[in-house]
Amino acid sequence: MPELPEVETVARGLAQRVAGDIINSVWIGRKPEPLKSPARKIAALLEGSRIANVRRVGKHIVVDLEEDGQKPRGQWIVHLGMTGNLVLTSPDQQVPKHTHLIAQLASGRELRFVDPRRFGRLSVHRAESAFKAPGSEPLDVDFESFARLFRGRKTPIKSALLNQRLLSGVGNIYADEALFRAGVRPRRRAAKVTREELRRLYEALRKVLSEAIAAGGSSISNYVDADGEEGLFQFDHRVYGREGEPCLSCRSPIKRVVIAGRSAHYCAHCQR
DNA sequence: AGGTTGACCTGGACGC
DNA sequence: TGCGTCCAGGTCAACC
């Protein structure tokens, strides 16, 4: 579920509420799938740490941890996968099914990682080897660097947008939405997209992502933010999930095709 | 080397 | 109600 705007929303919400709090103890479920680091390493780094900050890198939530004297201690990295969420609750809230980790905070609250499909991943990094995402942040990268990412790539432009080693944080919804707004068909070979089209794509992607962040994430389903509240938001999907419905510009039906195993939505009339 | 496919999971929506 | 099928916002390893 969560792409860049959703992860940003969760991270911001948590940063506001838990920065400065201390993790007293950690419970980790028995199913090992969501853990990239061993459970005892995760627990060891988290327990006794103060949460300095919570932020987003690509689709990852980075929890910066520090010692008492503000000395950096390491990072707790949370990837939400398709269905994961990191929720701040009071301990008397019922623990939902598929809760894989609970961090008890000194303030008396709990930070819980819940993920039914278990595609999410948890890991820890020591302070010496800080986490780094391989791709460029779409909201930070300049146009020349953005354009360079696609040079010589025969893969469909849609697949290139989703490639996290190129761009960090773009997922299926916002890739489709950006391509629609730029007027570029998802199956076009990345290398063949003209400079002018890339310029439109660059602007469209930034616009779509920042609008979605401003709206607090996507409206597509039961997405909830760090408080466990439904995102109020209404970000308009113009193509995603609108197969067969009329294009909002030209009324021709939105098409859905599969590209590299992911569904892609576009308007055959407006996108070339 | 670089691109595409299946596997990994659970659950909700839909058709019969 | 129940069962089967399809679909899902992500990412890898394995394949060509």
PDB file of all heavy atoms in Angstrom, chain A residues 82-108:
ATOM      1  N   MET A  82       3.390  -4.086   1.527  1.00  0.00           N
ATOM      2  CA  MET A  82       2.106  -3.733   0.926  1.00  0.00           C
ATOM      3  C   MET A  82       1.075  -3.363   1.975  1.00  0.00           C
ATOM      4  O   MET A  82       0.188  -2.558   1.729  1.00  0.00           O
ATOM      5  CB  MET A  82       1.566  -4.916   0.127  1.00  0.00           C
ATOM      6  CG  MET A  82       2.420  -5.277  -1.064  1.00  0.00           C
ATOM      7  SD  MET A  82       1.929  -4.394  -2.510  1.00  0.00           S
ATOM      8  CE  MET A  82       0.822  -5.585  -3.239  1.00  0.00           C
ATOM      9  N   THR A  83       1.151  -4.007   3.117  1.00  0.00           N
ATOM     10  CA  THR A  83       0.049  -3.867   4.082  1.00  0.00           C
ATOM     11  C   THR A  83       0.525  -3.480   5.474  1.00  0.00           C
ATOM     12  O   THR A  83      -0.234  -3.553   6.433  1.00  0.00           O
ATOM     13  CB  THR A  83      -0.742  -5.187   4.196  1.00  0.00           C
ATOM     14  OG1 THR A  83       0.189  -6.251   4.504  1.00  0.00           O
ATOM     15  CG2 THR A  83      -1.470  -5.515   2.917  1.00  0.00           C
ATOM     16  N   GLY A  84       1.800  -3.096   5.590  1.00  0.00           N
ATOM     17  CA  GLY A  84       2.334  -2.816   6.916  1.00  0.00           C
ATOM     18  C   GLY A  84       1.907  -1.457   7.442  1.00  0.00           C
ATOM     19  O   GLY A  84       1.539  -0.558   6.693  1.00  0.00           O
ATOM     20  N   ASN A  85       1.946  -1.310   8.757  1.00  0.00           N
ATOM     21  CA  ASN A  85       1.727  -0.009   9.361  1.00  0.00           C
ATOM     22  C   ASN A  85       2.445   0.049  10.703  1.00  0.00           C
ATOM     23  O   ASN A  85       2.648  -0.978  11.357  1.00  0.00           O
ATOM     24  CB  ASN A  85       0.242   0.272   9.546  1.00  0.00           C
ATOM     25  CG  ASN A  85      -0.053   1.762   9.630  1.00  0.00           C
ATOM     26  OD1 ASN A  85       0.839   2.600   9.528  1.00  0.00           O
ATOM     27  ND2 ASN A  85      -1.309   2.090   9.833  1.00  0.00           N
ATOM     28  N   LEU A  86       2.846   1.255  11.038  1.00  0.00           N
ATOM     29  CA  LEU A  86       3.518   1.507  12.299  1.00  0.00           C
ATOM     30  C   LEU A  86       2.589   2.425  13.071  1.00  0.00           C
ATOM     31  O   LEU A  86       2.376   3.564  12.674  1.00  0.00           O
ATOM     32  CB  LEU A  86       4.862   2.177  12.019  1.00  0.00           C
ATOM     33  CG  LEU A  86       5.982   2.107  13.038  1.00  0.00           C
ATOM     34  CD1 LEU A  86       6.236   0.681  13.509  1.00  0.00           C
ATOM     35  CD2 LEU A  86       7.251   2.703  12.446  1.00  0.00           C
ATOM     36  N   VAL A  87       2.010   1.912  14.134  1.00  0.00           N
ATOM     37  CA  VAL A  87       0.923   2.624  14.797  1.00  0.00           C
ATOM     38  C   VAL A  87       1.276   2.934  16.245  1.00  0.00           C
ATOM     39  O   VAL A  87       1.780   2.084  16.971  1.00  0.00           O
ATOM     40  CB  VAL A  87      -0.367   1.767  14.799  1.00  0.00           C
ATOM     41  CG1 VAL A  87      -1.565   2.622  15.176  1.00  0.00           C
ATOM     42  CG2 VAL A  87      -0.590   1.118  13.451  1.00  0.00           C
ATOM     43  N   LEU A  88       0.982   4.145  16.639  1.00  0.00           N
ATOM     44  CA  LEU A  88       1.175   4.567  18.020  1.00  0.00           C
ATOM     45  C   LEU A  88      -0.159   4.434  18.738  1.00  0.00           C
ATOM     46  O   LEU A  88      -1.152   5.011  18.303  1.00  0.00           O
ATOM     47  CB  LEU A  88       1.650   6.020  18.046  1.00  0.00           C
ATOM     48  CG  LEU A  88       2.101   6.586  19.376  1.00  0.00           C
ATOM     49  CD1 LEU A  88       3.332   5.842  19.874  1.00  0.00           C
ATOM     50  CD2 LEU A  88       2.373   8.069  19.243  1.00  0.00           C
ATOM     51  N   THR A  89      -0.185   3.647  19.823  1.00  0.00           N
ATOM     52  CA  THR A  89      -1.461   3.439  20.511  1.00  0.00           C
ATOM     53  C   THR A  89      -1.241   3.419  22.017  1.00  0.00           C
ATOM     54  O   THR A  89      -0.121   3.359  22.487  1.00  0.00           O
ATOM     55  CB  THR A  89      -2.105   2.080  20.158  1.00  0.00           C
ATOM     56  OG1 THR A  89      -1.197   1.048  20.545  1.00  0.00           O
ATOM     57  CG2 THR A  89      -2.451   1.965  18.714  1.00  0.00           C
ATOM     58  N   SER A  90      -2.356   3.447  22.703  1.00  0.00           N
ATOM     59  CA  SER A  90      -2.295   3.222  24.140  1.00  0.00           C
ATOM     60  C   SER A  90      -2.274   1.713  24.356  1.00  0.00           C
ATOM     61  O   SER A  90      -2.834   0.960  23.568  1.00  0.00           O
ATOM     62  CB  SER A  90      -3.509   3.870  24.808  1.00  0.00           C
ATOM     63  OG  SER A  90      -4.342   2.896  25.357  1.00  0.00           O
ATOM     64  N   PRO A  91      -1.606   1.250  25.411  1.00  0.00           N
ATOM     65  CA  PRO A  91      -1.433  -0.192  25.623  1.00  0.00           C
ATOM     66  C   PRO A  91      -2.750  -0.936  25.825  1.00  0.00           C
ATOM     67  O   PRO A  91      -2.808  -2.147  25.628  1.00  0.00           O
ATOM     68  CB  PRO A  91      -0.572  -0.284  26.888  1.00  0.00           C
ATOM     69  CG  PRO A  91      -0.251   1.090  27.300  1.00  0.00           C
ATOM     70  CD  PRO A  91      -0.959   2.057  26.440  1.00  0.00           C
ATOM     71  N   ASP A  92      -3.806  -0.214  26.193  1.00  0.00           N
ATOM     72  CA  ASP A  92      -5.067  -0.944  26.414  1.00  0.00           C
ATOM     73  C   ASP A  92      -5.845  -1.162  25.120  1.00  0.00           C
ATOM     74  O   ASP A  92      -6.874  -1.827  25.129  1.00  0.00           O
ATOM     75  CB  ASP A  92      -5.920  -0.252  27.476  1.00  0.00           C
ATOM     76  CG  ASP A  92      -5.951   1.245  27.310  1.00  0.00           C
ATOM     77  OD1 ASP A  92      -6.691   1.732  26.436  1.00  0.00           O
ATOM     78  OD2 ASP A  92      -5.207   1.927  28.034  1.00  0.00           O
ATOM     79  N   GLN A  93      -5.376  -0.609  24.037  1.00  0.00           N
ATOM     80  CA  GLN A  93      -5.975  -0.945  22.740  1.00  0.00           C
ATOM     81  C   GLN A  93      -5.684  -2.408  22.436  1.00  0.00           C
ATOM     82  O   GLN A  93      -4.552  -2.861  22.617  1.00  0.00           O
ATOM     83  CB  GLN A  93      -5.365  -0.082  21.633  1.00  0.00           C
ATOM     84  CG  GLN A  93      -5.796   1.371  21.662  1.00  0.00           C
ATOM     85  CD  GLN A  93      -7.251   1.542  21.299  1.00  0.00           C
ATOM     86  OE1 GLN A  93      -7.712   1.063  20.285  1.00  0.00           O
ATOM     87  NE2 GLN A  93      -7.992   2.214  22.170  1.00  0.00           N
ATOM     88  N   GLN A  94      -6.662  -3.099  21.964  1.00  0.00           N
ATOM     89  CA  GLN A  94      -6.496  -4.504  21.626  1.00  0.00           C
ATOM     90  C   GLN A  94      -5.396  -4.675  20.587  1.00  0.00           C
ATOM     91  O   GLN A  94      -5.300  -3.907  19.636  1.00  0.00           O
ATOM     92  CB  GLN A  94      -7.821  -5.039  21.070  1.00  0.00           C
ATOM     93  CG  GLN A  94      -7.851  -6.543  20.991  1.00  0.00           C
ATOM     94  CD  GLN A  94      -8.940  -7.007  20.031  1.00  0.00           C
ATOM     95  OE1 GLN A  94      -9.894  -6.281  19.778  1.00  0.00           O
ATOM     96  NE2 GLN A  94      -8.792  -8.207  19.505  1.00  0.00           N
ATOM     97  N   VAL A  95      -4.551  -5.678  20.797  1.00  0.00           N
ATOM     98  CA  VAL A  95      -3.467  -5.942  19.850  1.00  0.00           C
ATOM     99  C   VAL A  95      -4.041  -6.668  18.645  1.00  0.00           C
ATOM    100  O   VAL A  95      -4.536  -7.788  18.761  1.00  0.00           O
ATOM    101  CB  VAL A  95      -2.360  -6.788  20.500  1.00  0.00           C
ATOM    102  CG1 VAL A  95      -1.285  -7.131  19.468  1.00  0.00           C
ATOM    103  CG2 VAL A  95      -1.755  -6.049  21.678  1.00  0.00           C
ATOM    104  N   PRO A  96      -4.012  -6.049  17.476  1.00  0.00           N
ATOM    105  CA  PRO A  96      -4.626  -6.697  16.314  1.00  0.00           C
ATOM    106  C   PRO A  96      -3.826  -7.910  15.852  1.00  0.00           C
ATOM    107  O   PRO A  96      -2.643  -8.058  16.162  1.00  0.00           O
ATOM    108  CB  PRO A  96      -4.619  -5.602  15.251  1.00  0.00           C
ATOM    109  CG  PRO A  96      -3.643  -4.595  15.700  1.00  0.00           C
ATOM    110  CD  PRO A  96      -3.469  -4.737  17.176  1.00  0.00           C
ATOM    111  N   LYS A  97      -4.529  -8.764  15.126  1.00  0.00           N
ATOM    112  CA  LYS A  97      -3.899  -9.890  14.468  1.00  0.00           C
ATOM    113  C   LYS A  97      -2.750  -9.371  13.600  1.00  0.00           C
ATOM    114  O   LYS A  97      -2.817  -8.244  13.107  1.00  0.00           O
ATOM    115  CB  LYS A  97      -4.963 -10.534  13.565  1.00  0.00           C
ATOM    116  CG  LYS A  97      -4.786 -11.994  13.294  1.00  0.00           C
ATOM    117  CD  LYS A  97      -6.018 -12.495  12.533  1.00  0.00           C
ATOM    118  CE  LYS A  97      -5.739 -13.818  11.871  1.00  0.00           C
ATOM    119  NZ  LYS A  97      -6.881 -14.296  11.073  1.00  0.00           N
ATOM    120  N   HIS A  98      -1.740 -10.177  13.418  1.00  0.00           N
ATOM    121  CA  HIS A  98      -0.595  -9.824  12.563  1.00  0.00           C
ATOM    122  C   HIS A  98       0.254  -8.686  13.118  1.00  0.00           C
ATOM    123  O   HIS A  98       0.875  -7.947  12.374  1.00  0.00           O
ATOM    124  CB  HIS A  98      -1.051  -9.461  11.144  1.00  0.00           C
ATOM    125  CG  HIS A  98      -1.911 -10.512  10.518  1.00  0.00           C
ATOM    126  ND1 HIS A  98      -1.473 -11.802  10.325  1.00  0.00           N
ATOM    127  CD2 HIS A  98      -3.180 -10.475  10.085  1.00  0.00           C
ATOM    128  CE1 HIS A  98      -2.451 -12.506   9.774  1.00  0.00           C
ATOM    129  NE2 HIS A  98      -3.493 -11.729   9.625  1.00  0.00           N
ATOM    130  N   THR A  99       0.230  -8.529  14.434  1.00  0.00           N
ATOM    131  CA  THR A  99       1.161  -7.597  15.072  1.00  0.00           C
ATOM    132  C   THR A  99       2.474  -8.331  15.277  1.00  0.00           C
ATOM    133  O   THR A  99       2.505  -9.392  15.892  1.00  0.00           O
ATOM    134  CB  THR A  99       0.604  -7.106  16.420  1.00  0.00           C
ATOM    135  OG1 THR A  99      -0.622  -6.410  16.189  1.00  0.00           O
ATOM    136  CG2 THR A  99       1.596  -6.175  17.113  1.00  0.00           C
ATOM    137  N   HIS A 100       3.562  -7.784  14.736  1.00  0.00           N
ATOM    138  CA  HIS A 100       4.849  -8.487  14.770  1.00  0.00           C
ATOM    139  C   HIS A 100       5.837  -7.892  15.752  1.00  0.00           C
ATOM    140  O   HIS A 100       6.784  -8.561  16.148  1.00  0.00           O
ATOM    141  CB  HIS A 100       5.467  -8.520  13.371  1.00  0.00           C
ATOM    142  CG  HIS A 100       4.541  -9.086  12.343  1.00  0.00           C
ATOM    143  ND1 HIS A 100       4.048 -10.378  12.413  1.00  0.00           N
ATOM    144  CD2 HIS A 100       3.968  -8.522  11.253  1.00  0.00           C
ATOM    145  CE1 HIS A 100       3.241 -10.584  11.382  1.00  0.00           C
ATOM    146  NE2 HIS A 100       3.160  -9.484  10.676  1.00  0.00           N
ATOM    147  N   LEU A 101       5.636  -6.638  16.095  1.00  0.00           N
ATOM    148  CA  LEU A 101       6.547  -6.016  17.061  1.00  0.00           C
ATOM    149  C   LEU A 101       5.788  -4.967  17.872  1.00  0.00           C
ATOM    150  O   LEU A 101       4.953  -4.241  17.327  1.00  0.00           O
ATOM    151  CB  LEU A 101       7.734  -5.365  16.343  1.00  0.00           C
ATOM    152  CG  LEU A 101       8.782  -4.664  17.238  1.00  0.00           C
ATOM    153  CD1 LEU A 101      10.166  -4.798  16.636  1.00  0.00           C
ATOM    154  CD2 LEU A 101       8.445  -3.192  17.465  1.00  0.00           C
ATOM    155  N   ILE A 102       6.072  -4.933  19.168  1.00  0.00           N
ATOM    156  CA  ILE A 102       5.526  -3.879  20.028  1.00  0.00           C
ATOM    157  C   ILE A 102       6.677  -3.261  20.809  1.00  0.00           C
ATOM    158  O   ILE A 102       7.432  -3.981  21.465  1.00  0.00           O
ATOM    159  CB  ILE A 102       4.474  -4.434  21.019  1.00  0.00           C
ATOM    160  CG1 ILE A 102       3.310  -5.074  20.269  1.00  0.00           C
ATOM    161  CG2 ILE A 102       3.970  -3.326  21.942  1.00  0.00           C
ATOM    162  CD1 ILE A 102       2.287  -5.753  21.169  1.00  0.00           C
ATOM    163  N   ALA A 103       6.824  -1.957  20.686  1.00  0.00           N
ATOM    164  CA  ALA A 103       7.831  -1.239  21.479  1.00  0.00           C
ATOM    165  C   ALA A 103       7.103  -0.465  22.574  1.00  0.00           C
ATOM    166  O   ALA A 103       6.257   0.385  22.278  1.00  0.00           O
ATOM    167  CB  ALA A 103       8.630  -0.289  20.586  1.00  0.00           C
ATOM    168  N   GLN A 104       7.434  -0.785  23.817  1.00  0.00           N
ATOM    169  CA  GLN A 104       6.818  -0.070  24.947  1.00  0.00           C
ATOM    170  C   GLN A 104       7.635   1.188  25.231  1.00  0.00           C
ATOM    171  O   GLN A 104       8.846   1.108  25.427  1.00  0.00           O
ATOM    172  CB  GLN A 104       6.787  -0.957  26.200  1.00  0.00           C
ATOM    173  CG  GLN A 104       5.586  -1.885  26.266  1.00  0.00           C
ATOM    174  CD  GLN A 104       5.941  -3.331  25.967  1.00  0.00           C
ATOM    175  OE1 GLN A 104       7.111  -3.690  25.988  1.00  0.00           O
ATOM    176  NE2 GLN A 104       4.932  -4.150  25.705  1.00  0.00           N
ATOM    177  N   LEU A 105       6.957   2.324  25.243  1.00  0.00           N
ATOM    178  CA  LEU A 105       7.656   3.596  25.407  1.00  0.00           C
ATOM    179  C   LEU A 105       7.557   4.095  26.845  1.00  0.00           C
ATOM    180  O   LEU A 105       6.598   3.791  27.560  1.00  0.00           O
ATOM    181  CB  LEU A 105       7.057   4.643  24.454  1.00  0.00           C
ATOM    182  CG  LEU A 105       7.036   4.226  22.979  1.00  0.00           C
ATOM    183  CD1 LEU A 105       6.407   5.330  22.121  1.00  0.00           C
ATOM    184  CD2 LEU A 105       8.446   3.909  22.481  1.00  0.00           C
ATOM    185  N   ALA A 106       8.559   4.889  27.224  1.00  0.00           N
ATOM    186  CA  ALA A 106       8.601   5.416  28.595  1.00  0.00           C
ATOM    187  C   ALA A 106       7.371   6.270  28.905  1.00  0.00           C
ATOM    188  O   ALA A 106       6.920   6.344  30.045  1.00  0.00           O
ATOM    189  CB  ALA A 106       9.880   6.234  28.798  1.00  0.00           C
ATOM    190  N   SER A 107       6.807   6.877  27.874  1.00  0.00           N
ATOM    191  CA  SER A 107       5.609   7.711  28.069  1.00  0.00           C
ATOM    192  C   SER A 107       4.370   6.881  28.368  1.00  0.00           C
ATOM    193  O   SER A 107       3.310   7.438  28.642  1.00  0.00           O
ATOM    194  CB  SER A 107       5.360   8.529  26.807  1.00  0.00           C
ATOM    195  OG  SER A 107       5.147   7.647  25.712  1.00  0.00           O
ATOM    196  N   GLY A 108       4.494   5.560  28.251  1.00  0.00           N
ATOM    197  CA  GLY A 108       3.346   4.694  28.526  1.00  0.00           C
ATOM    198  C   GLY A 108       2.633   4.241  27.259  1.00  0.00           C
ATOM    199  O   GLY A 108       1.770   3.369  27.304  1.00  0.00           O
TER     200      GLY A 108
END
